[in-house]
């Protein structure tokens, strides 16, 4: 067969197939057999068609179709339009009560009975069964699809379905409106538009951004809200999940599962006391809710409440969790040991046991952190006590007794114990009014506790003694003021403020040794007490204990770098110390300006001082030197005990050569004529840090 003859035969087959498609898709009639798009592979160039044995196809068309059954025949998008009006036997979509969306075409899977084909027409069958629905302003038309699939039909996946097989795909096909990546009239596979409420299966919210989820959260279906909350919870969005669970609870407040889920979200946000209340509400609504009991038991263990945890860990009729049992027994053992140690005043053992209790499982227990603070206070470790109390928020103090019955520790209600410890912390810091407020709250919560009652009396007496001492000091009745402060210390012997106040009285009375002793006691309880350091340094100066005075002033210089009075006191103490050692102090001076040096002899004399001397090697033409010179003037004022010099290397090349200076700005620090430090082109921060180091 020649190439020309083959080309003619191929054109004839294509024309016959075109006639066949025209006959199946364009004709007039009320009940037209429209094409089924469900299982046609619209994205594939191959979609074989098989002729029917009977109907209106001509013999030549049938023969051509049979001959070209393996030929390529691609279809774009078919609309299934009719030239006449809708059949009265075909129901409208609007009759079913569904919303009417103009211009939307979609295919909905539905098992139906075989179609009744009108004689004289034929169609190609594909595997699958659907309704073809057109929704418009004039109504909707549906065409039932057949479940019968001819043997050997090829599906979009490429598999050959035999007669009687059912297609697996159930995704809807939607006619695009020209948005996104789809042109107008394109059929989009797989539900790219939002699903209607009639679609089966829940919406997957896990891939939607949290903000979008909240915008979609207008549903009045609590189960849908719960599913959305669960998706947020799984993704770690606890705040969003909490909002959704709360909306579900607002719609259905008697559903125990919603309260249980809200408790989980609250736990994720570390709002454990609120989670306790939600679990208790879930159990109230459903007393047999085992998971809620288990969660509540775990919460009570985290909060250090042994007796409350025991009721839910050992739930009647259910086997307890071995892990939770072990945690309960360990916590109970450490708490019992802690109570015994506290009762005998063994605060080191108390601290050890409470740390073990927290480590075992009770890492969210405010009363155990308060116990840790109390132990540190009695061990005179105020900074550690403050750190422990920082773990106890004031909001927790107000809700810690929300459990029923309220939890206790060391014989007092947990909430009262928090205020009990806070009172001691406030007293140790010298905040007498705050201590009085805290102890009164503790007494109001647990009025019958003996420890709290005794502390209330002591706090009132201490506050009264301190106020009386202050009044006497202002009246310059220093001896009586000493007695008043002493009375307060007898009631509360670890109060650093009362010791410091009494030290001031001793200083005024000229009893500087006793003043130093009281300052030592104040600093023992509060090592960073600035006022006590100042008072002790002044007392040591009066006693001519220059070494101790210099040591205290150096600490104060680090704490108060901008205090000129402290700087001057340090300088004079240093001068007195050097004089007491027989050293030459004639060249030492306090403060002044940056001194300009031009001669080599003048330079050597200036750096021979026993104190620190900072020399700035500069050049008037250098930009960096011009920028840093004003800062050197600032340092000269800020660190008056140091001598500051400047040398222009262009005007004094002999000094630059002798000191081997080649780059400017260069700073060198000398002591007794010996270079101890050199820095080249430093930043302001580095320069000041170095100067500060050599100023003390």
């Amino acid at each position: 067969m020649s190439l020309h003859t083959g080309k003619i035969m191929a054109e004839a087959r294509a024309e016959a197939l075109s006639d066949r498609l025209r006959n199946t898709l364009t004709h007039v009639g009320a009940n037209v057999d429209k094409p089924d798009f469900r299982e046609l592979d619209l994205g594939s160039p191959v979609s074989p068609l098989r002729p029917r044995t009977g109907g209106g196809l001509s013999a030549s068309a049938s023969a051509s179709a049979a001959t070209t059954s393996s030929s390529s025949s691609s279809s774009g998008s078919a609309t299934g339009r009719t030239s006449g009006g809708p059949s009265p036997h075909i129901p409208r979509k609007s009759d079913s009560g569904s919303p009417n969306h103009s211009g939307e075409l979609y295919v909905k899977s539905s098992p139906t009975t075989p179609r009744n084909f009108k004689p004289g027409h034929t169609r190609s069958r594909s595997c699958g069964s659907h309704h073809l629905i057109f929704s418009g302003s004039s109504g909707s038309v549906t065409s039932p699809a057949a479940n019968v699939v001819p043997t050997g039909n090829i599906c979009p996946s490429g598999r050959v379905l035999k007669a009687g097989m059912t297609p697996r795909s159930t995704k809807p096909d939607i006619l695009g409106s020209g948005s996104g990546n789809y042109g107008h009239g394109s059929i989009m596979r797989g539900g790219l538009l939002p699903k209607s409420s009639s679609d089966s299966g829940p919406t997957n919210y896990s891939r939607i951004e949290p903000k979008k989820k909240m915008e979609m959260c207008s549903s009045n279906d609590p189960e849908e809200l719960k599913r959305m909350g669960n998706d947020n919870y799984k993704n770690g969005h606890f705040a969003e999940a909490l909002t959704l669970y709360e909306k579900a609870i607002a719609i259905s407040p008697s559903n125990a599962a919603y309260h249980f889920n809200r408790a989980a979200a609250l736990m994720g946000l570390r709002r454990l006391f609120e989670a306790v209340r939600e679990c208790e509400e879930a159990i109230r609504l459903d007393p047999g809710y085992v998971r809620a009991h288990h969660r509540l038991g775990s919460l009570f263990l985290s909060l250090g409440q042994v007796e409350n945890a025991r009721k839910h860990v050992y739930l009647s009729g259910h086997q307890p969790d071995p892990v939770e049992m072990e945690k309960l027994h360990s916590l109970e053992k450490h708490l019992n040991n802690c109570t015994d140690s506290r009762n005998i005043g063994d605060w080191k053992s108390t601290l050890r046991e409470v740390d073990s209790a927290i480590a075992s499982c009770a890492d969210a227990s405010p009363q155990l952190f308060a116990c840790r603070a109390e132990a540190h206070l009695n061990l005179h470790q105020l900074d550690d006590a403050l750190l422990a109390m920082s773990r106890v928020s004031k909001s927790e103090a107000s809700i810690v007794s929300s459990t029923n019955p309220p939890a206790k520790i060391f014989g007092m209600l947990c909430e009262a114990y928090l205020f009990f410890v806070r009172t001691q912390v406030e007293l140790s810091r010298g905040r007498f009014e705050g201590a009085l407020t805290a102890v009164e709250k503790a007494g109001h919560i647990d009025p019958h506790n003996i420890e709290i009652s005794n502390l209330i009396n002591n706090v009132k007496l201490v506050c009264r003694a301190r106020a009386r001492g202050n009044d006497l000091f202002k009246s310059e009745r220093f001896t009586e003021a000493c007695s008043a402060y002493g009375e307060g210390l007898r009631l509360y012997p670890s109060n650093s403020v009362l010791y410091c106040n009494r030290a001031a009285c001793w200083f005024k009375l000229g009893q500087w040794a006793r003043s130093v002793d009281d300052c030592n006691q104040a600093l023992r309880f509060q090592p960073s007490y600035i006022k006590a350091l100042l008072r002790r340094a002044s007392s040591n100066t009066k006693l001519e204990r220059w070494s101790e005075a210099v040591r205290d002033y150096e600490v104060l210089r680090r704490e108060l770098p901008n205090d000129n009075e402290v700087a001057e006191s340090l300088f004079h103490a240093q001068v007195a110390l050097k004089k007491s050692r027989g050293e030459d102090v004639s060249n030492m001076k306090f403060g002044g300006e940056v001194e300009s040096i031009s001669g080599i002899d003048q330079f050597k004399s200036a750096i021979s001082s026993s104190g620190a001397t900072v020399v700035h090697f500069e050049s008037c033409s250098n930009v960096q030197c011009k920028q840093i010179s004003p800062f050197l003037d600032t340092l000269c004022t800020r660190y008056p005990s140091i001598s500051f010099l400047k040398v222009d290397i262009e005007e004094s090349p002999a000094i630059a050569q002798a000191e081997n200076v080649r780059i400017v700005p260069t700073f060198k620090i000398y002591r007794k004529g010996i270079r101890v430090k050199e820095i080249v082109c430093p930043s302001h921060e580095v320069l000041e840090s170095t100067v500060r180091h050599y100023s003390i």
Side-chain angles (χ1 to χ4, degrees):
M1 181 182 298
S2 66
L3 179 63
H4 179 68
T5 304
K7 184 176 182 181
I8 293 175
M9 291 181 67
E11 291 176 353
R13 286 195 296 268
E15 184 177 356
L17 181 59
S18 178
D19 291 341
R20 176 190 167 199
L21 288 172
R22 190 180 300 109
N23 289 335
T24 59
L25 296 177
T26 58
H27 53 274
V28 179
N31 190 16
V32 181
D33 186 18
K34 301 173 182 63
D36 185 355
F37 304 109
R38 180 60 178 160
E39 297 297 342
L40 289 177
D41 189 357
L42 300 174
S44 169
V46 180
S47 184
L49 300 173
R50 295 190 53 164
R52 291 177 56 86
T53 58
L57 267 182
S58 63
S60 60
S62 300
S64 299
T67 307
T68 61
S69 61
S70 61
S71 300
S72 173
S73 175
S74 61
S75 59
S77 62
T79 61
R81 289 191 294 264
T82 65
S83 58
S87 170
H89 304 292
I90 301 176
R92 297 174 182 267
K93 184 182 178 183
S94 58
D95 296 338
S96 64
S98 301
N100 196 5
H101 304 287
S102 177
E104 182 178 348
L105 175 69
Y106 62 94
V107 180
K108 183 171 66 174
S109 300
S110 175
T112 59
T113 57
R115 298 178 181 174
N116 297 321
F117 292 97
K118 186 174 181 178
H121 299 283
T122 184
R123 68 180 294 273
S124 63
R125 288 180 179 269
S126 62
C127 61
S129 57
H130 314 83
H131 289 307
L132 180 65
I133 302 174
F134 176 81
S135 173
S137 59
S138 62
S140 303
V141 179
T142 63
S143 178
N147 259 346
V148 181
V149 183
T151 305
N153 238 24
I154 299 179
C155 295
S157 62
R159 296 179 59 211
V160 178
L161 290 185
K162 297 182 180 180
M165 290 181 66
T166 303
R168 287 185 293 178
S169 176
T170 59
K171 296 181 180 179
D173 298 336
I174 302 172
L175 184 63
S177 58
S179 61
N181 298 323
Y182 295 87
H184 184 82
S186 298
I187 295 179
M188 298 180 291
R189 306 298 300 258
L192 293 173
L193 294 180
K195 293 184 178 182
S196 66
S197 59
S198 61
D199 292 335
S200 61
T203 304
N204 182 11
Y205 296 94
S206 61
R207 297 184 181 179
I208 305 176
E209 293 296 326
K211 186 176 180 182
K212 294 291 185 183
K213 294 180 184 179
M214 302 309 296
E215 292 175 356
M216 295 170 61
C217 181
S218 59
S219 172
N220 288 327
D221 180 7
E223 282 298 309
E224 185 68 14
L225 291 168
K226 185 186 79 169
R227 283 194 293 270
M228 293 170 66
N230 292 348
D231 286 339
N232 275 282
Y233 182 86
K234 292 173 185 175
N235 291 324
H237 304 139
F238 302 121
E240 291 85 351
L242 180 63
T243 300
L244 291 162
Y245 293 142
E246 287 172 348
K247 290 187 176 182
I249 291 172
I251 298 170
S252 180
S254 61
N255 190 303
Y258 300 161
H259 291 278
F260 179 77
N261 285 10
R262 184 174 186 269
L266 289 167
M267 290 174 69
L269 296 170
R270 300 300 294 170
R271 292 159 59 179
L272 301 189
F273 287 99
E274 295 174 75
V276 167
R277 288 201 292 262
E278 285 302 309
C279 284
E280 289 176 338
E281 179 63 14
I283 293 171
R284 186 189 68 81
L285 294 170
D286 184 1
Y289 200 164
V290 177
R291 291 184 64 195
H293 281 285
H294 287 169
R295 178 165 291 173
L296 186 55
S298 296
L299 279 167
F300 280 135
L301 287 175
S302 296
L303 296 172
Q305 300 183 16
V306 173
E307 295 306 319
N308 286 330
R310 193 192 311 277
K311 293 186 298 185
H312 300 281
V313 171
Y314 290 98
L315 185 60
S316 178
H318 296 275
Q319 185 69 25
D321 185 348
V323 175
E324 299 298 300
M325 287 174 54
E326 178 61 30
K327 289 181 180 179
L328 179 63
H329 294 157
S330 176
L331 176 61
E332 187 174 24
K333 180 189 73 173
H334 290 304
L335 283 180
N336 289 337
N337 293 340
C338 181
T339 302
D340 294 339
S341 299
R342 183 179 179 274
N343 289 339
I344 62 175
D346 184 357
W347 294 107
K348 287 186 177 180
S349 297
T350 301
L351 183 60
R352 183 178 63 252
E353 291 298 334
V354 76
D355 286 345
S356 298
I358 291 172
S360 65
C361 62
D363 57 348
S365 172
Q367 65 270 21
L368 291 185
F369 282 105
C371 179
R372 175 186 281 176
E374 185 182 28
H376 281 302
L377 278 178
N378 285 276
L379 292 171
H380 312 309
Q381 300 165 354
L382 180 59
D383 291 340
D384 292 327
L386 294 175
L387 181 61
M389 282 304 292
S390 68
R391 298 289 301 271
V392 182
S393 66
K394 293 183 179 179
S395 59
E396 286 179 340
S398 62
I399 62 177
V400 72
S401 62
S402 62
T403 57
N404 190 18
K408 288 189 175 185
I409 185 170
F410 310 133
M412 67 181 79
L413 295 175
C414 286
E415 184 180 4
Y417 179 68
L418 298 184
F419 286 110
F420 179 84
V421 176
R422 192 174 296 279
T423 300
Q424 299 175 64
V425 172
E426 294 294 288
L427 272 181
S428 297
R429 301 177 72 184
R431 298 179 177 181
F432 296 90
E433 290 77 12
L436 188 59
T437 301
V439 77
E440 287 175 347
K441 288 182 179 179
H444 178 73
I445 295 167
D446 197 350
H448 304 296
N449 186 270
I450 297 176
E451 273 193 274
I452 294 176
S453 299
N454 291 336
L455 184 61
I456 290 174
N457 294 331
N458 285 346
V459 169
K460 288 181 178 179
L461 292 173
V462 168
C463 290
R464 191 176 304 153
R466 175 247 188 183
R468 183 169 174 268
N470 289 350
D471 292 339
L472 291 169
F473 186 88
K474 292 175 184 176
S475 302
E476 298 186 356
R477 297 161 63 181
F478 302 120
T479 303
E480 295 174 71
C482 282
S483 298
Y485 292 133
E487 181 62 23
L489 287 169
R490 185 184 64 80
L491 297 167
Y492 196 77
S494 60
N495 191 287
S496 57
V497 174
L498 293 179
Y499 276 115
C500 190
N501 287 1
R502 194 171 69 174
C505 294
W506 295 130
F507 187 89
K508 291 291 185 179
L509 292 170
Q511 300 187 38
W512 301 303
R514 301 185 76 172
S515 177
V516 169
D517 291 340
D518 275 356
C519 287
N520 289 339
Q521 288 295 324
L523 291 167
R524 177 189 172 204
F525 300 124
Q526 193 173 346
S528 58
Y529 196 176
I530 298 297
K531 190 176 290 188
L533 275 171
L534 279 168
R535 201 148 284 158
R536 187 171 70 178
S538 299
S539 298
N540 280 321
T541 298
K542 292 290 185 179
L543 293 169
E544 297 185 357
R545 298 174 180 174
W546 305 117
S547 180
E548 290 85 349
V550 167
R551 184 173 62 247
D552 283 342
Y553 279 127
E554 286 176 344
V555 174
L556 289 165
R557 194 77 180 97
R558 287 193 293 268
E559 297 294 328
L560 306 170
N562 299 320
D563 192 316
N564 287 332
E565 186 177 348
V566 170
E568 187 173 359
S569 297
L570 173 60
F571 172 77
H572 291 305
Q574 289 172 334
V575 170
L577 178 61
K578 292 179 183 297
K579 287 178 67 175
S580 68
R581 293 173 178 172
E583 298 179 14
D584 181 21
V585 295
S586 58
N587 292 329
M588 293 185 68
K589 60 181 179 179
F590 176 76
E593 299 178 352
V594 180
E595 183 180 358
S596 180
I597 302 296
S598 56
I600 187 69
D601 293 334
Q602 182 187 10
F603 174 78
K604 289 181 179 180
S605 175
I607 65 173
S608 63
S609 171
S610 58
T613 303
V614 177
V615 182
H616 175 205
F617 294 91
E618 63 176 357
S619 173
C620 293
S621 59
N622 185 274
V623 177
Q624 285 183 285
C625 293
K626 292 180 180 179
Q627 292 174 345
I628 204 167
S629 288
F631 184 64
L632 196 66
D633 295 332
T634 302
L635 294 179
C636 185
T637 304
R638 193 173 293 174
Y639 300 95
S641 61
I642 293 182
S643 299
F644 289 87
L645 311 176
K646 59 182 178 181
V647 176
D648 191 318
I649 62 172
E650 294 176 353
E651 297 178 358
S652 306
I655 300 177
Q657 184 176 2
E659 296 300 315
N660 194 27
V661 177
R662 299 179 180 178
I663 301 174
V664 291
T666 292
F667 291 85
K668 296 189 179 186
I669 301 177
Y670 299 85
R671 282 186 187 274
K672 297 181 179 181
I674 300 173
R675 186 182 72 247
V676 294
K677 184 69 175 179
E678 178 179 351
I679 46 178
V680 179
C681 301
S683 64
H684 288 191
E685 294 77 12
V686 171
L687 179 58
E688 182 170 11
S689 175
T690 305
V691 170
R692 186 188 305 118
H693 175 75
Y694 286 98
S695 68
I696 55 179

